[in-house]
Amino acid sequence: QVQLVESGGGLVQSGGSLRLSCTASGMIFSMNTVGWYRQIAEKERELVALMLPGNTPNYAEFVKGRFIMSRDDAKNTVYLQMSSLKSEDSAVYYCNARGMSTTPGRGGDFWGQGTQVTVSS
């Protein structure tokens, strides 16, 4: 069974920083596609950053230069370092992983529970 557990959300002032973490069990991040998404109020979930196996991350235009996605293979954890936060970054942030689990023959599209980020202006 694949589980993605996120942490690190919270309340921060505009211009501040937060780091989100997502740790996986049942799946090896370095061998799969991992992304951070966010959902603002009633809007559709949108891609923030995406890391394909062996590649450097790609970012949505609205976070380029402010957010950095990284991965610690020893901890099987991905991070989203968010800086210069704006009120419009307030959202629930989700970790996503797509690919094969560590159970032979099992794969899919997996989501974390989401973590709330609120940026006060």
Side-chain angles (χ1 to χ4, degrees), residues 43-74:
K43 297 183 180 179
E44 288 193 5
R45 199 169 292 188
E46 58 185 1
L47 177 66
V48 175
L50 190 70
M51 185 182 289
L52 275 66
N55 283 17
T56 56
N58 291 299
Y59 300 94
E61 280 298 324
F62 51 80
V63 302
K64 276 185 180 177
R66 300 189 299 124
F67 291 12
I68 297 174
M69 181 178 180
S70 61
R71 192 182 67 219
D72 184 333
D73 292 342

Side-chain angles (χ1 to χ4, degrees), residues 20-93:
L20 307 183
S21 302
C22 175
T23 300
S25 58
M27 176 178 262
I28 300 173
F29 274 156
S30 62
M31 299 178 67
N32 294 286
T33 297
V34 186
W36 286 100
Y37 291 74
R38 71 185 188 186
Q39 190 164 17
I40 301 171
E42 303 300 318
K43 297 183 180 179
E44 288 193 5
R45 199 169 292 188
E46 58 185 1
L47 177 66
V48 175
L50 190 70
M51 185 182 289
L52 275 66
N55 283 17
T56 56
N58 291 299
Y59 300 94
E61 280 298 324
F62 51 80
V63 302
K64 276 185 180 177
R66 300 189 299 124
F67 291 12
I68 297 174
M69 181 178 180
S70 61
R71 192 182 67 219
D72 184 333
D73 292 342
K75 296 181 179 180
N76 204 28
T77 297
V78 293
Y79 303 96
L80 186 67
Q81 178 67 48
M82 306 185 293
S83 303
S84 302
L85 282 162
K86 308 173 184 179
S87 57
E88 51 263 44
D89 293 318
S90 296
V92 178
Y93 284 73

